[in-house]
Amino acid sequence: MSFRPRYTGLIERYRDRLPVHDDTRIISLGEGNTPLIRLHHVPSLLGSDVDIYVKYEGLNPTGSFKDRGMTMAVTKAVEEGSRAIICASTGNTSASAAAYAARAGIIAFVLIPDGKIALGKLAQAMMEGAVVIQIKGNFDDGMRLVKEVATSAPVTIVNSINPYRLQGQKTAAFEIIEELGRAPDYHCLPVGNAGNITAHWIGYSEYACKDGDHVTNACTFCKGKCELLPSPSGRVVERDRNGKGVVGEGARSTLLPSPSGRGAGGEGLRPKMVGYQASGAAPFLRGKMVDDPETVATAIRIGHPQSWDQAWIVNKESGGWFDECTDQEILAAQKLLAEKEGIFCEPASAASLAGAMRDIQSGKIIANSTVVCTLTGHGLKDPDTAIAQSTAPVLKIEAKLEQVKKAILDNLP
Ligand code: F0G
């Protein structure tokens, strides 16, 4: 009987593409390796011939993509002797930082906006023993304070301005390429600080890169000269098109171009990166910082993105675009995904699908394309918003057989 090797997290999986040493103590909760789910009903509702996949990052250990970056950031913080980490957060980063700090046996300080954090995220940070500091201000105020305090206190910042974060998050692109056998034509993400869209682009670029000399100018870690690419003879475990593990001679050489050849640079090896913001928090659309961001998607209630310059580089290099979605569009997409596909994501995550659906219908996303939308966080993170917009009534009856039967018969299709 053959056994699949136990999956022990993305650092072990992509060790040769990440800045770790043989003796680095890895702080992991088994993050990464999330499902890439092909949507069945949404494309037909759109009446369009596109393949839409969602990368369900809500299935990471703390329920969001942040775990990919946090395993790297906390691993390196511990390696460098740090005993405390700090972040500003709209919620998910704080939950992730708290969990990985607990795992490492160090302390996490988290600054969160007063009253604008989804309940599930706050519960996580509190249970995981973080020092939760609620400020009378928004995420952008928190980020400013974190940067200031870190200059004089012995704490390591684990927001996405920490370049190790993006190194960990780039692995989502690796997983997508390995599963599809190529890069998608379009990759759609919700954008707040723009760390994640940058990280994905770094991942796609590393995979597509032929000589290791010029990966992408968006990478603040390697600054255009990547030393983390596996050597051409390096043994990299890949998955073939059927999902079976194979050992390849350097993953790059086995990449298949996108059939449409529409990827950046005409090579078909990198997707167009498309970033969607909530209309009330859309600095990339306004072309300048927004001072009072507001949206139901609290995770992306950010007016001063930290990866501003990098995201514009991604935009230019990939030939993608930014757009905005209204709160109504975001909530409608969240509900559609749950009702028609059985996939529950938090509101911010649904911005990727809301925007993609609109761009597919308008033809901006070209027919017959392969589109990946990242669902950044789990729906259980924000139960209040979910319940508030649920229209299906909860039937309240006596605990009697007849009444249960009636409830069933009345509601059969
Ligand atoms: N989606 C979710 C669910 C998020 O939590 C975030 C960011 C984003 C999207 C945007 O990602 O900032 O890399 O562009 N959340 C941060 C936090 C700000 O504090 O949890 P980005």
Side-chain angles (χ1 to χ4, degrees):
M1 203 195 228
S2 66
F3 290 96
R4 275 172 42 157
R6 208 171 81 79
Y7 181 82
T8 50
L10 61 85
I11 296 182
E12 289 290 10
R13 171 79 176 83
Y14 295 107
R15 185 176 258 286
D16 57 343
R17 291 155 182 264
L18 292 167
V20 284
H21 306 110
D22 287 347
D23 55 357
T24 302
R25 179 183 156 216
I26 292 168
I27 313 297
S28 169
L29 291 165
E31 56 295 307
N33 202 18
T34 54
L36 185 66
I37 306 170
R38 188 171 177 203
L39 298 188
H40 287 152
H41 301 288
V42 172
S44 54
L45 287 174
L46 296 176
S48 172
D49 262 341
V50 285
D51 265 344
I52 310 177
Y53 293 84
V54 292
K55 181 75 169 157
Y56 197 8
E57 290 287 273
L59 292 194
N60 274 297
T62 77
S64 84
F65 73 94
K66 304 289 179 178
D67 297 341
R68 287 185 188 273
M70 208 54 75
T71 184
M72 265 313 310
V74 175
T75 291
K76 294 307 279 188
V78 168
E79 186 173 64
E80 286 158 14
S82 179
R83 292 173 50 226
I85 58 174
I86 190 166
C87 65
S89 179
T90 55
N92 281 324
T93 303
S94 64
S96 187
Y100 284 82
R103 183 78 169 163
I106 61 174
I107 189 102
F109 297 97
V110 304
L111 270 72
I112 56 167
D114 189 13
K116 293 284 183 181
I117 174 170
L119 211 59
K121 305 174 187 181
L122 183 59
Q124 288 177 288
M126 290 171 73
M127 278 298 281
E128 291 155 358
V131 177
V132 179
I133 305 166
Q134 201 165 57
I135 55 162
K136 289 202 173 93
N138 60 23
F139 170 86
D140 302 311
D141 298 318
M143 198 62 239
R144 180 178 41 82
L145 290 164
V146 161
K147 284 181 182 167
E148 277 170 26
V149 80
T151 60
S152 54
V155 286
T156 303
I157 300 179
V158 292
N159 282 102
S160 55
I161 56 171
N162 177 331
Y164 294 122
R165 277 274 311 274
L166 301 197
Q167 286 298 303
Q169 285 168 221
K170 75 182 180 184
T171 60
F174 296 168
E175 289 176 14
I176 292 165
I177 291 178
E178 287 165 11
E179 204 155 334
L180 294 178
R182 59 182 172 81
D185 299 307
Y186 302 88
H187 190 132
C188 305
L189 294 113
V191 168
N193 279 311
N196 209 24
I197 196 168
T198 304
H200 278 77
W201 184 243
I202 294 169
Y204 283 121
S205 299
E206 283 187 16
Y207 233 111
C209 177
K210 289 190 182 65
D211 53 15
D213 257 3
H214 187 79
V215 176
T216 162
N217 286 324
C219 185
T220 52
F221 190 77
C222 69
K223 299 190 173 63
K225 177 115 186 139
C226 187
E227 285 159 18
L228 296 170
L229 294 170
S231 68
S233 60
R235 286 162 66 82
V236 179
V237 178
E238 300 161 38
R239 279 172 234 155
D240 64 17
R241 277 167 173 269
N242 302 318
K244 293 204 177 104
V246 294
V247 178
E249 292 286 302
R252 285 168 289 145
S253 57
T254 64
L255 256 186
L256 305 171
S258 143
S260 60
R262 263 186 233 113
E267 297 162 356
L269 298 178
R270 298 188 290 180
K272 290 187 188 298
M273 301 300 295
V274 185
Y276 297 108
Q277 299 211 281
S279 297
F284 285 102
L285 277 300
R286 311 288 165 258
K288 60 178 171 49
M289 302 298 168
V290 170
D291 281 337
D292 292 303
E294 205 46 81
T295 167
V296 69
T298 51
I300 50 173
R301 189 171 163 267
I302 295 167
H304 291 240
Q306 297 299 311
S307 295
W308 176 261
D309 293 339
Q310 293 92 319
W312 282 116
I313 295 171
V314 172
N315 182 269
K316 191 157 168 268
E317 286 183 354
S318 81
W321 61 89
F322 293 111
D323 209 338
E324 59 190 290
C325 300
T326 64
D327 280 1
Q328 289 81 353
E329 286 176 306
I330 289 172
L331 293 177
Q334 183 198 19
K335 197 145 184 272
L336 184 77
L337 203 49
E339 278 181 2
K340 299 292 177 200
E341 306 279 0
I343 301 168
F344 189 22
C345 68
E346 69 169 284
S349 310
S352 60
L353 184 66
M357 289 195 304
R358 202 177 51 210
D359 286 336
I360 288 167
Q361 280 185 309
S362 74
K364 193 167 182 185
I365 289 180
I366 301 166
N368 298 315
S369 300
T370 298
V371 182
V372 171
C373 295
T374 298
L375 301 181
T376 43
H378 202 288
L380 291 173
K381 292 272 192 177
D382 190 353
D384 295 320
T385 308
I387 289 172
Q389 65 147 341
S390 294
T391 45
V394 175
L395 305 175
K396 293 196 175 143
I397 57 168
E398 300 297 323
K400 299 224 167 83
L401 183 60
E402 276 315 306
Q403 293 200 21
V404 177
K405 268 193 194 164
K406 185 173 175 339
I408 291 171
L409 293 174
D410 287 353
N411 285 285
L412 279 177

